[in-house]
Amino acid sequence: DVDKEWAQLSDALHPLEAAGGLLVQRLPSASLEDLRRTMMFGEFHVFHYIGHGGLDQHTGDGLLVLTGPDGRSRLATGAELYVMLANSPVRLAVLNSCQGARIGAADPYAGAAASLVHQGIPAVVAMQFEISDDAAIAFSRTLYEAIAYGWPVDTAVAEARRAILAASRAEWATPVLYLRAADGEFLVLVGPSGC
């Protein structure tokens, strides 16, 4: 339920937005074209995907379900997603989809998250299993709150996993971090209260 999760995520992040710690913008549709246009005219540092994901059993490519030009579902690979994010200031991608962190046996870089990191996104957080809406909201709220306060991404992910544990014991290990940077310092934040 993307709309429900978006509403819950927006509510959870509202205090950070109100304090000037971050700005959240939803794409008009979950299409490669809307992503391309948004990246062309915006200065975004984080890309957050909410939707379905999986692994192509034949090619081993990680897949995300987007919206095609005809308004119907379109499967996009991590490599295609990277093409839309390339040459943008995106430093973190969060793939809130089932199996976004899964990799195939033939090519360990073909999974959606691994593909993004391999091609140059400094940090990618993805889910290795299914995740409930409640756990996803607890994770995202805590992750962004920690990042807005200047925590390194690895520390922020660890804290967000603890937030999941408080909400849902079985899901705390679902999010994983792929980190290309030498350390967890991948964003330089400026603004109110050091954000």
Side-chain angles (χ1 to χ4, degrees):
D1 189 346
V2 173
D3 289 329
K4 178 183 173 187
E5 187 170 337
W6 170 256
Q8 290 175 338
L9 183 59
S10 295
D11 288 346
L13 297 178
H14 180 73
L16 292 172
E17 278 192 277
L22 70 123
L23 171 66
V24 179
Q25 180 177 331
R26 184 176 183 177
L27 293 177
S29 73
S31 70
L32 289 175
E33 175 58 16
D34 281 346
L35 179 57
R36 183 196 66 76
R37 289 187 56 76
T38 301
M39 292 292 109
M40 182 177 170
F41 298 113
E43 184 87 10
F44 299 96
H45 298 100
V46 178
F47 169 76
H48 187 108
Y49 171 81
I50 301 170
H52 295 290
L55 197 67
D56 185 311
Q57 297 301 320
H58 300 292
T59 65
D61 287 335
L63 301 171
L64 300 175
V65 179
L66 299 179
T67 303
D70 60 358
R72 298 177 58 165
S73 295
R74 176 190 193 277
L75 298 176
T77 65
E80 290 172 316
L81 181 60
Y82 177 75
V83 169
M84 297 303 150
L85 299 176
N87 301 317
S88 75
V90 169
R91 311 285 297 148
L92 170 65
V94 178
L95 304 180
N96 189 5
S97 66
C98 298
Q99 302 180 2
R102 191 168 170 203
I103 58 173
D107 183 358
Y109 298 112
S115 177
L116 290 174
V117 170
H118 181 66
Q119 294 181 71
I121 301 294
V124 178
V125 175
M127 307 305 155
Q128 54 187 335
F129 312 115
E130 290 184 23
I131 188 165
S132 67
D133 285 346
D134 290 341
I137 295 305
F139 179 81
S140 296
R141 179 184 59 241
T142 305
L143 175 73
Y144 291 126
E145 185 175 55
I147 288 171
Y149 285 106
W151 292 21
V153 68
D154 51 344
T155 306
V157 168
E159 187 63 27
R161 288 175 79 186
R162 283 192 281 274
I164 290 178
L165 181 59
S168 171
R169 290 177 98 173
E171 297 177 274
W172 73 272
T174 298
V176 294
L177 171 65
Y178 290 76
L179 189 60
R180 182 181 185 90
D183 60 26
E185 304 290 335
F186 70 103
L187 284 175
V188 176
L189 301 172
V190 293
S193 304
C195 297

